[in-house]
Amino acid sequence: MFEEFDVTPEPAGATDPGFFNRIAVGLSDLFKRDPANEATQPVELDPRLLPYADKVATAEEAVAHIKSGSHVFIGTASATPRTLVAALETMSMPPAGLELMHFITSGAFPHDEQGRATTRFRHRTFFVGSDIRAAVKQGLADYVPLSIARVPQLIEIGRIPVDVALIQVSMPDEFGYVSLGVSVDVIPAAIAKARLVIAEVNPFMPRSMGDSTFHLSRFDYLVPVATPVLEYVHPATEERVVEQIARYIGGIIEDGSTLQIGLGRVTSAALKYLSDRKDIGIHSDVITDAIIPLLEKGVLTGRRKTSQRDKIVTSFAIGTKRLYDLIDRNPLFCFQPIDIVANTAVIASQHRMVSVTQAFAIDLTGQVCVDQLRGEFYAGLAAQGEFLRGASRSAGGKAIICLASTADADSASCIRATLDPGDGVTIARTDVHYVITEYGIAYLFGKSIRERAIALIQVAHPKFRAELFAQAQALGYLTAAQSLQNMRAYPVEEEHTVVLKDKRSVLLRPAVSSDGDSIRDLFHSLSEEDVFTRFFRTVRALSGNDVQRLCNVNFENEVAFVAVTGTRENPQIVAQACYFIDPSTNLAETAFMVSPAWQRCGLGAALQRRMAEHAAARGVRGFVAEIMATNQNMIRLAQAGSTNVTVEPGGTTVHVTSLFSDSPPTSA
């Protein structure tokens, strides 16, 4: 379901996404030649490069100046300087002891027909994409598990040495300035430190706005190329898992949020569910074509951003010619170095900052693995740590981890009691907030190990929940008295916001096992009279079994709803209602708890209607309730919503039967 970034080199305008392919792109010279008289005709240089003709060289001539033992930085992603890398790899007498350093690359390094890397050099990489994965396996490349946002600083102080920078830029303007185009990221730091800078000058590279311009005097050699910028398209997906996770993510993003986009399919799919939002902003390490529909619909205004309002701020772009054409000379886009874009303080300052990270595995305490798959290094950290921490500190922000509940054709759970030996901890449990699978949303921050385990088991695949539950008990995360009832996906479609008579609004949603502590708090907010009328006895506290019966229900013959205020990160349950079906009568007994501060405002009636809608849709015939004879408010509530109601006195209590149809009740 999830994949790391790969681009397919394609001609401009191509639409085939071509996952993980490596297609050689033919290069056409910027020089104009007459094939019949090429040996005798002078090469005509593009007029824009004439003032710098002394710097112009072929790729082979330029890389010949690289000395043995050099540390060579390679430009990023769609701006990978493939012509220069190819010239370096095919040198008859290559420099000895070179180390090539890079972030994301595509189609740059050679492989044989069996997919084995045939690069002639050592590599140091911050991202294990398909272009370098074979080299890592073969011991030809070292993976550095480091946030790319920290790399510029380490280059500056010399901890990461850079002697040579190979990059790709746009054509110069009339003043001799070129743009780094669709990839700024680490490149300014590499240029500043390198003793030798060689740039491919490409007329297809768009001129991006922001901190992306350099004068040609900063470069030692210019290599004209005419290669369409690498394109990448996320394939359209109707995969259920991807779409369901995307819906959950989209559902919790509010108007005025600022988004980090990311490269995965889930994030791209989630943007489809924001078409009805207002004033969404972008502050992201990377942008893709997924933003274009929202731009066209006027959703991406950035009006509520705290920093660089109205601007789409990013460090690099990966997409199609359509996106690149949109970026070209467009002041809406602001490209900046990765250490500026991924500054945690800047991210945290944004209004309702949302960051989404795709993961491969998580354990029941909240430890997350994002850069290893089946024990092999896969993808990388990028700048996810900074964005997660920044989003978690943003006012109204959301730091989201998402993953499929299973892997390998549903044969293995991605939510595990403990991470496997091959799963490195990339994100500490202390930094995890939201965790979303196709089975629901768990919120972990500030929660105990017990609460985390319960919440994560709820969003695991049902076939693994019992096993995970038993493992959690064996590890001491859960007590022996805890039980597991609910085996279904969280029904987000059953969430409804209602406005009460006093104009306050509450969210009515299905209860989940992790609501237990909040329901206990609700109980303790009740007066002694409320407790007695609810439980028909004096109850000083709810036992663990009592609490579980109110929220840890199976939603088959036991159903519970809660009324919630506050944020998803800090919800307060102000009311609870449940019904329990008697299969012999197909009638359901109901029970309610409503906080004193929320009584007499229509909340009980709203819960009654919601439960009646739910029960009637499932074929339940009606509700029954045993109510204290003195509790007139609850008697009226039980009678509301139906024209077929019977009230039977029974001493200190009354028995109320409310049918959803005109059929008479069945005798027990």
Side-chain angles (χ1 to χ4, degrees), residues 481-631:
Q482 183 76 34
S483 63
L484 177 65
Q485 300 294 331
N486 190 358
M487 290 295 185
R488 68 171 190 163
Y490 178 74
V492 67
E493 67 279 0
E494 292 179 9
E495 291 186 350
H496 297 279
T497 298
V498 297
V499 179
L500 306 176
K501 290 188 294 186
D502 59 4
K503 305 304 181 184
R504 288 184 293 179
S505 63
V506 295
L507 174 68
L508 305 185
R509 64 162 174 81
V512 293
S513 299
S514 53
D515 288 331
D517 290 340
S518 295
I519 286 177
R520 185 177 277 112
D521 292 340
L522 169 63
F523 168 82
H524 287 295
S525 75
L526 302 178
S527 66
E528 289 186 7
E529 180 183 358
D530 286 338
V531 171
F532 190 82
T533 57
R534 166 64 176 82
F535 294 94
F536 298 97
R537 67 185 191 280
T538 300
V539 180
R540 303 184 64 85
L542 294 180
S543 68
N545 287 335
D546 290 333
V547 170
Q548 289 186 60
R549 192 165 187 267
L550 296 175
C551 64
N552 185 15
V553 294
N554 59 26
F555 278 88
E556 295 299 328
N557 60 338
E558 305 168 349
V559 175
F561 284 87
V562 292
V564 182
T565 64
T567 64
R568 286 184 180 269
E569 296 87 349
N570 186 33
Q572 289 86 48
I573 293 178
V574 296
Q576 184 270 351
C578 50
Y579 69 82
F580 304 92
I581 300 172
D582 181 348
S584 66
T585 63
N586 197 24
L587 296 172
E589 181 181 359
T590 62
F592 293 80
M593 281 195 297
V594 180
S595 168
W598 290 80
Q599 294 176 7
R600 298 178 179 83
C601 62
L603 178 53
L607 276 169
Q608 173 84 338
R609 286 193 299 271
R610 181 70 197 97
M611 289 208 304
E613 291 168 358
H614 186 272
R618 301 176 66 228
V620 177
R621 295 180 57 246
F623 285 158
V624 296
E626 198 76 19
I627 305 171
M628 295 290 296
T630 57
N631 191 351

Side-chain angles (χ1 to χ4, degrees), residues 139-403:
L140 301 175
D142 294 324
Y143 166 55
V144 182
L146 177 70
S147 168
I148 196 65
R150 303 297 302 276
V151 172
Q153 178 192 18
L154 295 182
I155 290 175
E156 181 182 1
I157 66 176
R159 289 283 299 278
I160 296 177
V162 175
D163 303 308
V164 180
L166 305 182
I167 63 173
Q168 185 178 167
V169 299
S170 73
M171 292 297 291
D173 63 15
E174 62 269 33
F175 303 108
Y177 284 90
V178 298
S179 169
L180 297 179
V182 297
S183 289
V184 175
D185 56 277
V186 184
I187 295 173
I191 292 174
K193 203 68 174 179
R195 296 191 298 268
L196 176 65
V197 181
I198 304 173
E200 294 182 7
V201 185
N202 190 351
F204 288 97
M205 181 62 71
R207 295 189 66 87
S208 59
M209 300 290 100
D211 299 331
S212 65
T213 55
F214 283 86
H215 195 268
L216 284 179
S217 60
R218 296 289 301 273
F219 306 144
D220 297 285
Y221 295 97
L222 307 175
V223 177
V225 300
T227 306
V229 178
L230 292 174
E231 295 191 63
Y232 175 75
V233 182
H234 275 297
T237 177
E238 296 181 357
E239 187 177 338
R240 183 190 64 82
V241 171
V242 172
E243 287 299 314
Q244 186 58 55
I245 295 174
R247 285 191 185 94
Y248 283 133
I249 294 172
I252 64 175
I253 294 176
E254 303 164 295
D255 289 348
S257 294
T258 300
L259 310 182
Q260 177 210 11
I261 300 300
L263 289 171
R265 280 190 289 165
V266 170
T267 310
S268 295
L271 295 186
K272 297 187 303 185
Y273 298 100
L274 302 182
S275 60
D276 61 341
R277 305 304 148 79
K278 298 177 181 177
D279 297 332
I280 298 296
I282 300 292
H283 184 98
S284 180
D285 49 345
V286 62
I287 57 173
T288 69
D289 280 49
I291 69 170
I292 296 177
L294 295 184
L295 267 176
E296 293 174 338
K297 293 176 181 177
V299 173
L300 295 185
T301 67
R303 288 174 187 154
R304 302 193 206 178
K305 290 179 66 180
T306 309
S307 174
Q308 295 182 287
R309 186 169 297 169
D310 303 327
K311 297 284 188 180
I312 293 176
V313 177
T314 190
S315 196
F316 61 105
I318 296 173
T320 67
K321 185 177 183 296
R322 186 181 180 202
L323 176 65
Y324 303 153
D325 287 345
L326 190 62
I327 290 168
D328 190 38
R329 303 174 188 268
N330 189 342
L332 172 65
F333 295 88
C334 181
F335 280 71
Q336 295 182 324
I338 191 65
D339 51 329
I340 295 176
V341 174
N343 182 295
T344 302
V346 174
I347 296 167
S349 73
Q350 293 291 0
H351 180 68
R352 292 180 176 172
M353 185 72 209
V354 176
S355 173
V356 181
T357 297
Q358 295 182 184
F360 293 122
I362 185 171
D363 72 14
L364 290 180
T365 71
Q367 297 184 117
V368 180
C369 175
V370 303
D371 66 348
Q372 282 182 279
L373 179 62
R374 303 182 191 92
E376 294 183 3
F377 292 117
Y378 198 96
L381 307 187
Q384 292 308 130
E386 284 78 9
F387 276 98
L388 284 169
R389 286 188 290 273
S392 69
R393 290 165 173 78
S394 163
K398 292 178 172 61
I400 300 170
I401 303 291
C402 64
L403 72 165

